[in-house]
Amino acid sequence: MSPAEEEKSLPLPERWPRASKFALSACAAAVAELVTFPLDLTKTRLQVQGEAAVRRSGAAGGQAVPYRGMLRTAAGIVREEGLRKLWQGATPAVYRHIVYSGVRMVAYEHLRDSVLGRSKDESFPFWKAVVGGMTAGAIGQFFASPTDLVKVQMQMEGKRKLEGKPLRFRGVHHAFMKILSEGGIRGLWAGWVPNVQRAALVNMGDLTTYDSVKHFLLLNTPLVDNSVTHSVASGCSGLVAAVLGTPADVVKTRIMNQPRDKQGRGLLYKSSMDCLIQTVQGEGFMSLYKGFVPTWMRMAPWSLVFWLTYEQVRRICGVSSF
């Protein structure tokens, strides 16, 4: 059998390992995103409540937005906009995770196995896991930033309707084309800096924590590589990711949701640092953790669903465990 014929006879994951891992992680992320999306919508609405810069600029039309917690916000969306609105913006969110999770998972494994390298005992030093997780998250989010921008803006359409403002978008494709026509290519990457910063922090919590906890348990406890180990590691990763990522997520959401001029420049914030300073000065430090509870309540089940699905799909397809 010739080398070409031998290659064709190999299973798909062995012939195209990175493409296969990209597809598997994208599928797992899409499942996790759809299951937990209502919590993401609730979190986004909470993060723009009481925005000090909006009050100063009068962009809210002089209407005071009532402060509501997680449950009241979710119930209000269902009562005022309808149950289906809990999934408003889910389509670009799934698109985003296909790109984001696919790229970050492939990038992390490449960094871990080929660039940074494991130790002689097959362990992966914590500092290398931190570098790998932050780098992979930043790369994945940069490529996925346009879809994240569309997701955030579409999530706010229901709020605009209640305030008597005209809707900006008719659908995902219209949102992409409108943002592109108003701000150009640059407009699609509006808010990419805080987006990438958040992704680096979240993946230091998610990828780094999951990989480190999982392999610590396998090397130092009687636990084996099964769903129990994956569940414990994913629970830890969801909590750490929420703690590290929520402040950057608040800044990212506000920058992406702010009104813009014809050149695509923000009218409320000059940069992510300006947004951070205005938020803390106008609303206090704890405002950076607005939406923390739904963020954590979403990240915990998201991590659980994603990692369990991802590990099982890899096993079924004959790909080695993460």
Side-chain angles (χ1 to χ4, degrees):
M1 187 180 290
S2 66
E5 291 175 334
E6 284 187 17
E7 183 177 347
K8 287 182 179 180
S9 66
L10 292 173
L12 190 63
E14 293 183 27
R15 290 166 60 191
W16 296 305
R18 290 179 186 170
S20 299
K21 290 175 182 177
F22 180 97
L24 296 178
S25 60
C27 290
V31 172
E33 189 68 17
L34 289 172
V35 170
T36 61
F37 188 79
L39 287 168
D40 186 58
L41 176 65
T42 303
K43 173 208 70 176
T44 301
R45 295 286 183 90
L46 279 170
Q47 287 174 340
V48 296
Q49 281 187 20
E51 199 168 351
V54 171
R55 293 199 303 270
R56 285 195 296 271
S57 69
Q63 294 178 340
V65 178
Y67 283 84
R68 300 193 290 192
M70 182 193 70
L71 293 178
R72 290 182 64 192
T73 298
I77 293 170
V78 174
R79 183 176 62 254
E80 297 161 5
E81 303 170 42
L83 180 64
R84 292 178 59 188
K85 293 300 182 181
L86 287 174
W87 277 269
Q88 184 161 0
T91 301
V94 171
Y95 291 164
R96 179 240 179 189
H97 264 288
I98 289 174
V99 178
Y100 169 64
S101 290
V103 172
R104 74 180 180 122
M105 299 303 293
V106 172
Y108 182 80
E109 284 198 79
H110 178 69
L111 289 169
R112 182 185 66 185
D113 300 333
S114 302
V115 179
L116 298 172
R118 296 179 182 270
S119 300
K120 292 181 180 179
D121 62 355
E122 288 300 306
S123 64
F124 192 47
F126 181 71
W127 72 269
K128 289 186 178 181
V130 170
V131 172
M134 294 185 73
T135 304
I139 294 171
Q141 185 56 58
F142 178 78
F143 283 105
S145 196
T147 55
D148 207 19
L149 174 66
V150 172
K151 181 199 78 170
V152 169
Q153 295 208 5
M154 287 192 70
Q155 284 178 328
M156 300 309 298
E157 287 299 274
K159 180 172 177 284
R160 288 177 61 86
K161 186 176 181 180
L162 290 176
E163 292 174 349
K165 298 178 181 178
L167 297 181
R168 297 172 293 184
F169 313 120
R170 294 191 299 269
V172 177
H173 180 262
H174 180 245
F176 271 112
M177 298 309 297
K178 186 173 182 180
I179 293 170
L180 184 63
S181 64
E182 293 178 352
I185 295 294
R186 181 180 176 183
L188 287 173
W189 268 267
W192 75 269
V193 174
N195 227 351
V196 167
Q197 291 168 343
R198 172 191 176 272
L201 291 171
V202 166
N203 280 277
M204 184 170 69
D206 186 28
L207 278 174
T208 300
T209 303
Y210 180 85
D211 196 25
S212 299
V213 170
K214 175 186 170 182
H215 288 94
F216 175 83
L217 293 173
L218 294 177
L219 292 172
N220 298 281
T221 71
L223 291 175
V224 295
D225 194 358
N226 58 18
S227 297
V228 175
T229 304
H230 303 158
S231 298
V232 173
S234 65
C236 295
S237 70
L239 177 60
V240 176
V243 172
L244 294 177
T246 298
D249 194 36
V250 171
V251 172
K252 177 212 76 170
T253 298
R254 292 185 172 195
I255 284 183
M256 284 186 159
N257 190 56
Q258 69 176 323
R260 299 183 176 276
D261 61 19
K262 294 182 179 179
Q263 285 72 44
R265 292 189 295 263
L267 299 178
L268 300 179
Y269 310 111
K270 298 176 183 177
S271 64
S272 57
M273 184 57 66
D274 179 46
C275 179
L276 177 69
I277 292 171
Q278 286 196 49
T279 300
V280 173
Q281 287 181 344
E283 304 164 54
F285 177 78
M286 291 310 296
S287 64
L288 293 175
Y289 280 89
K290 280 185 175 181
F292 172 78
V293 173
T295 296
W296 174 60
M297 288 184 66
R298 176 176 186 262
M299 281 188 171
W302 194 99
S303 292
L304 182 66
V305 173
F306 172 77
W307 286 112
L308 287 178
T309 304
Y310 187 48
E311 294 276 20
Q312 290 302 312
V313 170
R314 285 175 69 115
R315 181 183 62 79
I316 292 170
C317 294
V319 180
S320 60
S321 175
F322 182 81

